[in-house]
Amino acid sequence: MNTDTDLLILGAGPTGLYAAYYARIRGLRTVVVDALPELGGQVAALYPEKEIYDVAGLPAVKGKDLVRQLVEQAGDDVEYLLGRQAVDLDRDGDVLTVRTDDDERIRTRAVLVAGGIGSFRPRPLDAADRYAGRGAAYFVTDLGDYRDRDVVVVGGGDSALDWALALHPIAGSVTLVHRRDRFRAHAASVDELRRRGATIHTNAEVTAAHGTDSLELVEVLRHEHGDTVRLPAQKLIAALGFTAQLGPLRTWGLELHGQHIVVGRDMATNVPGVYAAGDIAEYPGKVRLMSVGFGEAATAVNHIAHRIDDDAPLFPGHSTDAGPVPS
């Protein structure tokens, strides 16, 4: 199947969704592709229930609420192709054709890569992986699913501590298991979890999981004590981090700096017609904040609009000049 558009955005996270909104301001037809099956990128997949504090004008907003508002802001004219990964890039003059892994071919005048950290996968917890979707999970989508349940959280980073703290008031019990005696998470989070009376096992690891149709208990090997304890666990969260990679984008001829794409002040890459914004973009002095990604998205889209039509102004004016943007 072939699709024609003015702008193809790779990544449906906050930066990509804001870029889709700004593209509407500039009158660009827009298609958004994301490898995940839902909108919102890493925020929707990893932090839907967590508060986000670095969005201007919003002292705190849950990840899922921010995504919902960004989708509403982008409007109904955006075409979303989810659960697909961009694979190949070909050029015919000023027209770029991107092929996805399901053989969709998207003809576009420009591509904006807003893929966050790239394609990412959770680090597996082999001992409980067979219960994935049956009590074991790598991210939390609904805190209500954990109400009154015995929950084991595995990991020692900020995500593990954040989930343990968020679940402690509603779960039947929360136990944190970390394989080291030191945490990568903020010390204040560790202190707060201890203050609340949660059980914490350090120098320990989950070695086995048991249950019939779903998870019922886990075995934890405590290296310091040299014993194994069996814990009731209807829910387990493996917050062990993620591996990220650029995948097929590495074959596009883009100038890279590690896992990031090098851009100029206009957010353009070294490949004509291809731009990048958000965490995946790299330039001197880069600050990786969501609010910075929003600004980079607007910068990229304005330069893209001018590139497609050199009579179009680089800066179209403020949205307040003409009132709300029509849907």
Side-chain angles (χ1 to χ4, degrees):
M1 181 181 292
N2 295 328
T3 300
D4 291 312
T5 191
D6 297 317
L7 171 61
L8 169 61
I9 298 172
L10 302 182
T15 297
L17 291 172
Y18 187 78
Y21 154 71
Y22 209 86
R24 180 162 61 94
I25 287 182
R26 297 308 309 256
L28 302 178
R29 295 174 300 160
T30 304
V31 172
V32 178
V33 168
D34 198 293
L36 294 175
E38 61 181 340
L39 296 172
Q42 299 159 40
V43 169
L46 306 181
Y47 317 118
E49 295 285 352
K50 288 176 63 176
E51 300 283 357
I52 296 170
Y53 301 100
D54 67 335
V55 180
L58 298 175
V61 58
K62 283 189 175 182
K64 65 181 182 182
D65 295 330
L66 176 64
V67 169
R68 175 180 53 78
Q69 293 177 69
L70 284 166
V71 172
E72 180 181 345
Q73 184 182 40
D76 298 329
D77 294 334
V78 181
E79 182 177 356
Y80 296 105
L81 302 178
L82 302 178
R84 314 182 196 194
Q85 185 177 32
V87 179
D88 299 325
L89 174 68
D90 293 315
R91 179 185 302 278
D92 183 6
D94 290 335
V95 177
L96 303 173
T97 299
V98 173
R99 183 178 67 85
T100 63
D101 54 1
D102 65 343
D103 216 29
E104 176 97 12
R105 283 173 168 77
I106 304 162
R107 290 165 43 88
T108 182
R109 301 293 300 279
V111 175
L112 173 58
V113 183
I117 59 174
S119 299
F120 67 104
R121 296 178 182 273
R123 298 185 187 277
L125 178 62
D126 293 337
D129 196 53
R130 67 192 179 104
Y131 289 101
R134 297 187 294 140
Y138 290 99
F139 18 74
V140 177
T141 57
D142 187 348
L143 287 175
D145 292 341
Y146 295 78
R147 186 172 301 278
D148 299 325
R149 303 298 183 93
D150 297 306
V151 182
V152 172
V153 180
V154 183
D158 287 320
S159 291
L161 270 294
D162 287 348
W163 287 128
L165 287 168
L167 290 167
H168 191 267
I170 65 172
S173 69
V174 173
T175 300
L176 181 71
V177 178
H178 182 38
R179 63 179 178 172
R180 297 188 174 92
D181 59 355
R182 294 188 178 184
F183 291 87
R184 300 187 311 278
H186 292 296
S189 298
V190 180
D191 292 342
E192 176 63 17
L193 191 63
R194 287 189 170 124
R195 188 190 68 78
R196 294 187 186 185
T199 301
I200 300 176
H201 293 296
T202 56
N203 287 316
E205 58 182 310
V206 172
T207 55
H210 304 282
T212 51
D213 294 334
S214 59
L215 182 66
E216 296 175 5
L217 62 89
V218 299
E219 295 182 10
V220 176
L221 173 60
R222 303 190 300 177
H223 295 286
E224 186 175 343
H225 299 278
D227 63 0
T228 296
V229 295
R230 292 163 66 91
L231 304 176
Q234 300 85 49
K235 295 287 187 181
L236 179 145
I237 303 167
L240 302 173
F242 294 82
T243 58
Q245 55 185 0
L246 290 172
L249 293 184
R250 285 192 174 276
T251 68
W252 288 17
L254 298 164
E255 182 183 353
L256 303 177
H257 184 268
Q259 288 288 110
H260 302 108
I261 300 173
V262 177
V263 299
R265 294 171 59 185
D266 56 357
M267 309 313 297
T269 72
N270 63 305
V271 176
V274 179
Y275 296 71
D279 283 354
I280 205 166
E282 177 69 29
Y283 51 83
K286 169 78 177 190
V287 176
R288 287 185 168 80
L289 286 175
M290 189 180 299
S291 51
V292 173
F294 293 153
E296 292 172 351
T299 296
V301 170
N302 277 324
H303 282 276
I304 287 168
H306 184 67
R307 182 180 190 277
I308 291 174
D309 179 3
D310 56 13
D311 289 330
L314 180 60
F315 177 56
H318 297 97
S319 60
T320 49
D321 295 342
V325 178
S327 299

